[in-house]
């Protein structure tokens, strides 16, 4: 017989509070990063074609 135990370490209610504070900034940073990546990919594509 085998037993498996799953544990998840978290901050509980404090973690939820921090997540709520952090989430908008993380979203904004992700959008900025993806826009920069899009610009880079487009410029690379144009330089390869042209």
């Amino acid at each position: 017989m085998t037993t498996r135990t799953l544990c998840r370490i978290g901050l509980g209610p404090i973690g939820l509070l921090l997540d709520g504070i952090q989430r908008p900034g993380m979203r904004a940073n992700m959008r900025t990063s993806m826009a920069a990546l899009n610009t880079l990919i487009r410029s690379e594509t144009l330089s390869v074609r042209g």
Side-chain angles (χ1 to χ4, degrees), residues 5-38:
T5 304
L6 300 174
C7 296
R8 190 172 82 180
I9 298 172
L11 296 175
I14 296 172
L16 293 174
L17 176 67
L18 291 175
D19 185 49
I21 293 169
Q22 252 183 332
R23 188 171 288 174
M26 290 176 65
R27 259 191 214 141
N29 288 340
M30 180 60 83
R31 284 190 185 119
T32 302
S33 295
M34 291 299 106
L37 181 60
N38 185 26

